[in-house]
Coordinates of all heavy atoms in Angstrom, one line a residue:
L119 N 131.4 95.7 173.7 CA 131.2 94.2 174.1 C 132.1 93.9 175.3 O 131.7 93.4 176.4 CB 131.4 93.3 173.0 CG 131.3 91.8 173.3 CD1 129.9 91.4 173.8 CD2 131.6 90.9 172.1
S120 N 133.4 94.1 175.2 CA 134.3 93.8 176.2 C 134.1 94.6 177.4 O 134.1 94.0 178.5 CB 135.8 93.8 175.7 OG 136.0 92.9 174.6
A121 N 134.0 95.9 177.4 CA 134.0 96.7 178.5 C 132.6 96.4 179.3 O 132.6 96.3 180.5 CB 134.0 98.1 178.0
P122 N 131.5 96.2 178.6 CA 130.3 95.9 179.4 C 130.5 94.5 180.2 O 130.0 94.4 181.3 CB 129.2 95.6 178.2 CG 129.6 96.7 177.2 CD 131.1 96.5 177.2
F123 N 131.2 93.6 179.6 CA 131.4 92.3 180.2 C 132.3 92.6 181.5 O 132.0 92.1 182.6 CB 132.0 91.3 179.3 CG 132.6 90.1 180.2 CD1 131.6 89.2 180.6 CD2 133.8 89.8 180.4 CE1 132.0 88.1 181.4 CE2 134.3 88.8 181.1 CZ 133.3 87.8 181.6
V124 N 133.5 93.3 181.2 CA 134.3 93.5 182.4 C 133.7 94.3 183.5 O 133.9 93.9 184.7 CB 135.6 94.3 181.9 CG1 136.5 94.8 183.0 CG2 136.4 93.5 180.9
L125 N 133.0 95.3 183.2 CA 132.2 96.1 184.3 C 131.2 95.2 185.0 O 131.1 95.2 186.2 CB 131.5 97.4 183.7 CG 130.8 98.1 184.6 CD1 131.7 98.7 185.6 CD2 130.2 99.4 183.8
T126 N 130.4 94.4 184.2 CA 129.4 93.6 184.8 C 130.0 92.6 185.7 O 129.6 92.3 186.8 CB 128.5 92.9 183.7 OG1 127.9 94.0 182.8 CG2 127.5 92.1 184.3
R127 N 131.2 91.9 185.1 CA 131.8 90.9 186.0 C 132.3 91.5 187.3 O 132.2 90.9 188.4 CB 133.0 90.4 185.2 CG 133.8 89.3 185.9 CD 134.9 89.0 185.1 NE 135.9 90.1 185.0 CZ 137.0 90.2 184.1 NH1 137.2 89.1 183.3 NH2 137.7 91.2 184.1
G128 N 132.8 92.8 187.2 CA 133.3 93.4 188.3 C 132.3 93.8 189.4 O 132.6 93.8 190.6
L129 N 131.1 94.0 189.0 CA 130.0 94.3 189.9 C 129.1 93.2 190.3 O 128.4 93.3 191.4 CB 129.1 95.5 189.3 CG 129.8 96.8 189.1 CD1 128.9 97.8 188.5 CD2 130.5 97.4 190.3
A130 N 129.2 92.1 189.6 CA 128.2 91.0 189.9 C 128.4 90.3 191.1 O 127.4 89.8 191.7 CB 128.3 90.0 188.6
K131 N 129.6 90.1 191.6 CA 129.8 89.4 192.9 C 129.0 90.0 194.0 O 128.5 89.3 194.8 CB 131.3 89.3 193.1 CG 131.6 88.2 194.3 CD 133.0 88.0 194.5 CE 133.3 86.9 195.6 NZ 132.6 87.3 196.8
A132 N 129.1 91.3 194.1 CA 128.4 92.0 195.2 C 126.9 91.8 195.1 O 126.2 91.6 196.1 CB 128.9 93.5 195.3
M133 N 126.4 91.9 193.9 CA 125.0 91.6 193.7 C 124.7 90.2 194.1 O 123.6 90.0 194.8 CB 124.6 91.8 192.2 CG 124.6 93.2 191.7 SD 124.2 93.4 189.9 CE 124.3 95.2 189.7
I134 N 125.5 89.2 193.7 CA 125.2 87.8 194.0 C 125.3 87.6 195.5 O 124.4 86.9 196.1 CB 126.2 87.0 193.3 CG1 125.9 86.9 191.8 CG2 126.2 85.5 193.9 CD1 127.0 86.3 191.0
D135 N 126.3 88.3 196.1 CA 126.4 88.2 197.6 C 125.1 88.7 198.3 O 124.7 88.2 199.4 CB 127.7 88.9 198.1 CG 128.9 88.2 197.8 OD1 128.9 87.0 197.4 OD2 130.0 88.8 197.8
R136 N 124.5 89.8 197.8 CA 123.3 90.4 198.4 C 122.1 89.6 198.0 O 121.0 89.9 198.6 CB 123.2 91.9 197.9 CG 124.2 92.8 198.5 CD 123.8 94.3 198.2 NE 123.6 94.6 196.8 CZ 124.6 95.2 196.1 NH1 125.9 95.4 196.6 NH2 124.4 95.5 194.8
G137 N 122.2 88.8 197.0 CA 121.1 88.1 196.6 C 120.1 88.9 195.7 O 118.9 88.4 195.4
R138 N 120.5 89.9 195.2 CA 119.6 90.7 194.2 C 120.5 91.8 193.4 O 121.5 92.1 193.9 CB 118.6 91.5 195.1 CG 119.2 92.6 196.0 CD 118.1 93.1 196.9 NE 118.7 94.2 197.8 CZ 119.4 94.0 198.8 NH1 119.5 92.7 199.3 NH2 119.9 95.0 199.6
G139 N 120.0 92.0 192.3 CA 120.7 93.0 191.4 C 120.0 93.0 190.0 O 119.4 91.9 189.7

Side-chain angles (χ1 to χ4, degrees):
L119 181 59
S120 296
F123 171 71
V124 170
L125 180 57
T126 302
R127 182 187 63 193
L129 298 182
K131 188 177 186 304
M133 291 182 176
I134 291 167
D135 288 345
R136 293 193 298 268
R138 63 186 183 278

